[in-house]
């Protein structure tokens, strides 16, 4: 992913300082493309990644690509995060839609999504007139 990196000098762990995590996330959201890998200990890897397509051989036992229920609003990145959640070494994948502000959490081939309006507040500085 080249120069797309997480600012580890600003925030090394997701669980350490919520303000630093927010600032780093805001910086990345406006300037980078790719996935961020966070270990179970909260440590964030510097290099951002792009996941390759998953095969049935790479899926956790009892799960299947055929069982996924793609929603109409899912684009390529959401579908990739959904499929990635089937990998046995992945705990959770989370997406934030730049266009709509939708936040989706994928886990073991299931997902929960919250639209921007349900979170509250203006998006990218938009204010009601």
């Amino acid at each position: 992913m080249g120069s797309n990196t997480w600012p580890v000098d600003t925030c090394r762990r997701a669980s350490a300082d919520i303000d630093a995590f927010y600032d780093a996330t805001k910086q990345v959201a406006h300037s980078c493309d790719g996935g961020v890998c966070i270990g179970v200990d909260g440590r964030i890897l510097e290099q951002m990644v792009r996941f390759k397509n998953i095969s049935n051989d790479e899926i956790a036992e009892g799960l299947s690509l055929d069982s996924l229920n793609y929603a109409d609003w899912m684009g390529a990145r959401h579908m990739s995060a959904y499929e990635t959640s089937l990998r046995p070494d992945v705990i959770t994948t989370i997406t934030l839609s730049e266009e709509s502000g939708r936040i989706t959490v994928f886990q073991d081939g299931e997902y929960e999504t919250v639209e921007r309006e349900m979170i509250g507040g203006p998006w990218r500085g938009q204010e009601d007139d």
Side-chain angles (χ1 to χ4, degrees):
M1 296 287 305
S3 62
N4 290 322
T5 58
W6 179 265
V8 293
D9 54 326
T10 304
C11 179
R12 172 54 85 179
R13 296 189 176 275
S15 57
D17 178 353
I18 193 66
D19 291 329
F21 182 71
Y22 173 80
D23 290 342
T25 302
K26 185 176 177 182
Q27 177 184 339
V28 167
H30 291 284
S31 64
C32 296
D33 184 26
V36 177
C37 295
I38 304 174
V40 293
D41 63 352
R43 185 173 167 268
I44 305 170
L45 299 181
E46 182 175 12
Q47 185 62 53
M48 294 179 68
V49 299
R50 181 168 289 142
F51 292 100
K52 64 179 182 142
N53 290 341
I54 191 170
S55 71
N56 280 319
D57 295 337
E58 298 172 291
I59 296 175
E61 188 174 329
L63 301 174
S64 166
L65 283 173
D66 298 331
S67 66
L68 295 179
N69 183 22
Y70 299 103
D72 292 345
W73 53 263
M74 286 185 186
R77 292 181 186 153
H78 288 92
M79 289 187 284
S80 295
Y82 195 12
E83 293 170 7
T84 298
S85 77
L86 296 175
R87 295 176 190 264
D89 56 344
V90 171
I91 298 170
T92 302
T93 56
I94 302 171
T95 60
L96 168 61
S97 173
E98 178 183 13
E99 295 171 0
S100 68
R102 176 190 300 268
I103 297 173
T104 309
V105 177
F106 301 91
Q107 192 169 32
D108 296 329
E110 301 288 329
Y111 65 90
E112 291 184 32
T113 189
V114 179
E115 294 186 33
R116 177 69 186 142
E117 295 77 32
M118 296 174 69
I119 299 168
W123 179 246
R124 289 198 173 196
Q126 297 172 350
E127 297 181 24
D128 294 333
D129 294 329

